[in-house]
Amino acid sequence: MRKWKKWAAVSLLTLMAAGCSPGGPDETSDAGADGESSGEGETTIRFSWWGNDERHDLTQEMLDLFEEEHPDITVEAEFTGWDSYWERLTTQAAGNNLPAVVQMDNSKLTEYISNDLALDLNTMIEEGSINMEDVSDVYQDMLVVDGSTYAISAGSNGLATIYNQDLFEEYDINLEPGYTYEELGEEMARVSEAEGEGFWGYDFVKADYETFRHYARQFDQHFYNEDGTGVGFEEEVLQNFLTTVTTWIDEGIATPYDVTAEVNESGESMVANEEAAMASAASNGLVGVQTLAEADLGLNVMPSAADGEKSGNWVRPSMSFMISSNVSEAKQEAAAELIDFITNNQEANEILRAERGVPIAASVRESLVDQVDPTVQETFEFLEVLEERAGDPEPLPPPGESEVRAAFDRMLESVKYDEMSIEEGVDSFMQEAEQILNQ
């Protein structure tokens, strides 16, 4: 395993020293140390996730079905928005009170692995408690570290471009998989000029960090080095990427930083508003953007940095489900039954409607594709294309990734505003990233 450093140590030690375990069990109760009762013949587990009201309602409906089919298991739901979700989990971890099943983000999982909070699921998979026989490795590889499986994908996606199909037809734009940044720039320049002021061909949607990770992989480089103590790419690669970005902005091909920031703050989409022809996005993001748009939207793969032969993309979990190592064995077994149900049960997935991403079990995916609406079907089709082109999965990012991403965004803002040169920005970021990753 990578030699990751411990995360949030000060926060956890402070809470523990203070004897703080908010939301934990009363010392005089019959509950276990994890706050979840487990009487004879019945087990109660907690299941936490972040998301909007739609996800909450669909998940609760699925849990009702699970409890009908598993009368010996009761599931208590814990649901919050993104920001408060992680604050809550940190507090629960400090109080040894994590839920049995935790919805997990790729950028956070390593922190829980490093602190021995994530259960190794290999035995459960081998024994069939979590049946993975119908799941291709490509949907799970990112969640396997040194041969140990620490989470199960809740649904898959990949980095993509969302584009206005109506506009592409009008301007006879046809970007087949393998198209290059140069070809994309030429087409977006053409449509930008034709549409006039207030319209841009491409919107990076403040997804430059993800886009650069994809870009670097096309040169057999990675954002982080193998042991997570620094970046894994050459300065020249980042300089070339930033040159493309700033050139597109200067030439009116891509949205200026202030426009992108304003639109993102409002929760709108420039492609949906018909102010841009194309944008970077997670593939399952198409579903939400399409609801905001009058035009028909589509998905395409990301551009290639060179001759189009090498794809920098990979299939990734949009999110995953982790089982906490600090709950009792009975609760871990019940948690495994729930994750197996979400992964393999056809009726459960008909309820969830691929809201968390494309289902990872092949039989579920195949039977569900004709039952979801055309927009969701397109995300299924995109994953099939991506699976054929995908490279090896990107390793999980190290603890400190959130700070590194923030530093990258700050540097990018300064470069886009011409507050520093590309060379100065790259040098500044490289130094800051090294400091963060070696704390």
Side-chain angles (χ1 to χ4, degrees):
M1 181 184 294
R2 296 180 174 189
K3 300 175 182 177
W4 302 132
K5 295 178 175 57
K6 297 296 184 182
W7 65 287
V10 175
S11 298
L12 294 184
L13 288 174
T14 301
L15 288 168
M16 290 175 183
C20 177
S21 55
D26 188 293
E27 292 182 2
T28 62
S29 74
D30 293 328
D34 46 41
E36 299 173 278
S37 62
S38 183
E40 184 176 351
E42 180 178 339
T43 302
T44 298
I45 59 173
R46 288 155 46 222
F47 173 26
S48 65
W49 66 87
W50 74 83
N52 56 20
D53 289 341
E54 179 187 16
R55 175 174 297 164
H56 174 65
D57 293 342
L58 295 176
T59 305
Q60 190 58 62
E61 185 180 349
M62 178 275 297
L63 290 177
D64 291 342
L65 176 64
F66 174 78
E67 290 179 339
E68 285 179 17
E69 298 191 10
H70 298 78
D72 57 332
I73 301 175
T74 299
V75 183
E76 296 179 351
E78 296 184 0
F79 161 80
T80 62
W82 170 266
D83 291 333
S84 58
Y85 183 79
W86 300 108
E87 295 170 4
R88 183 182 198 175
L89 282 185
T90 298
T91 301
Q92 290 173 332
N96 196 33
N97 188 35
L98 281 173
V101 181
V102 179
Q103 183 174 291
M104 184 55 57
D105 184 73
N106 300 332
S107 66
K108 307 287 187 180
L109 180 57
T110 305
E111 299 172 352
Y112 289 80
I113 297 172
S114 322
N115 285 274
D116 299 322
L117 296 170
L119 184 68
D120 182 352
L121 305 179
N122 278 3
T123 299
M124 291 176 166
I125 294 171
E126 291 165 4
E127 294 176 348
S129 301
I130 303 176
N131 184 353
M132 301 295 285
E133 293 181 0
D134 200 29
V135 178
S136 170
D137 288 345
V138 72
Y139 293 97
Q140 268 291 119
D141 279 342
M142 191 175 179
L143 303 174
V144 179
V145 180
D146 287 348
S148 294
T149 306
Y150 289 104
I152 303 298
S153 174
S156 294
N157 69 10
L159 190 61
T161 59
I162 293 178
Y163 66 98
N164 184 323
Q165 293 192 65
D166 297 345
L167 209 58
F168 269 46
E169 290 177 9
E170 179 181 346
Y171 287 96
D172 194 25
I173 299 173
N174 185 26
L175 296 169
E176 293 291 338
Y179 69 97
T180 64
Y181 274 90
E182 182 178 1
E183 291 169 336
L184 176 60
E186 291 172 355
E187 294 290 13
M188 294 301 99
R190 183 163 65 88
V191 69
S192 295
E193 182 177 359
E195 289 291 311
E197 186 176 353
F199 185 94
W200 293 269
Y202 201 88
D203 181 22
F204 283 100
V205 200
K206 297 189 73 175
D208 307 77
Y209 170 84
E210 295 291 353
T211 303
F212 176 67
R213 291 180 72 193
H214 175 276
Y215 182 90
R217 280 170 57 96
Q218 296 180 70
F219 299 94
D220 294 318
Q221 299 180 34
H222 301 271
F223 201 99
Y224 300 99
N225 63 21
E226 189 173 352
D227 61 4
T229 58
V231 299
F233 57 85
E234 299 170 358
E235 290 188 15
E236 183 181 4
V237 174
L238 179 54
Q239 289 173 358
N240 291 341
F241 174 77
L242 294 175
T243 298
T244 297
V245 172
T246 54
T247 298
W248 283 12
I249 292 173
D250 292 343
E251 294 180 357
I253 297 171
T255 47
Y257 185 85
D258 56 342
V259 173
T260 298
E262 182 180 350
V263 171
N264 276 270
E265 183 70 23
S266 69
E268 297 179 357
S269 160
M270 294 195 68
V271 172
N273 292 346
E274 300 187 25
E275 297 169 326
M278 201 172 191
S280 303
S283 57
N284 61 324
L286 174 68
V287 179
V289 177
Q290 183 64 78
T291 63
L292 303 174
E294 293 185 7
D296 288 331
L297 308 182
L299 286 174
N300 200 353
V301 299
M302 292 291 292
S304 296
D307 56 12
E309 294 184 3
K310 186 173 182 59
S311 168
N313 221 332
W314 69 100
V315 176
R316 62 189 186 184
S318 57
M319 60 199 72
S320 58
F321 296 124
M322 178 193 93
I323 296 180
S324 302
S325 61
N326 62 1
V327 299
S328 69
E329 185 176 342
K331 299 182 199 320
Q332 291 173 355
E333 292 173 356
E337 289 191 57
L338 175 57
I339 292 175
D340 179 76
F341 184 77
I342 296 172
T343 302
N344 295 298
N345 186 278
Q346 177 64 38
E347 192 174 351
N349 281 276
E350 289 174 1
I351 293 171
L352 294 173
R353 299 202 301 270
E355 189 274 333
R356 284 179 169 87
V358 176
I360 62 173
S363 59
V364 170
R365 204 163 54 243
E366 291 166 5
S367 60
L368 195 62
V369 68
D370 293 330
Q371 300 185 37
V372 295
D373 66 47
T375 302
V376 178
Q377 285 180 15
E378 188 149 359
T379 68
F380 281 43
E381 293 167 4
F382 175 81
L383 259 291
E384 291 180 3
V385 172
L386 183 59
E387 188 174 352
E388 294 176 358
R389 294 175 52 82
D392 293 335
E394 190 73 0
L396 290 170
E401 189 260 1
S402 297
E403 294 176 71
V404 173
R405 180 194 290 258
F408 186 89
D409 289 342
R410 287 194 300 272
M411 175 273 294
L412 196 71
E413 179 179 359
S414 296
V415 170
K416 286 183 175 181
Y417 275 136
D418 289 327
E419 294 173 351
M420 62 173 64
S421 68
I422 289 175
E423 291 74 17
E424 291 171 338
V426 170
D427 183 62
S428 171
F429 168 71
M430 300 286 264
Q431 291 185 41
E432 187 171 1
E434 298 284 337
Q435 290 174 355
I436 292 169
L437 295 169
N438 283 282
Q439 289 178 356

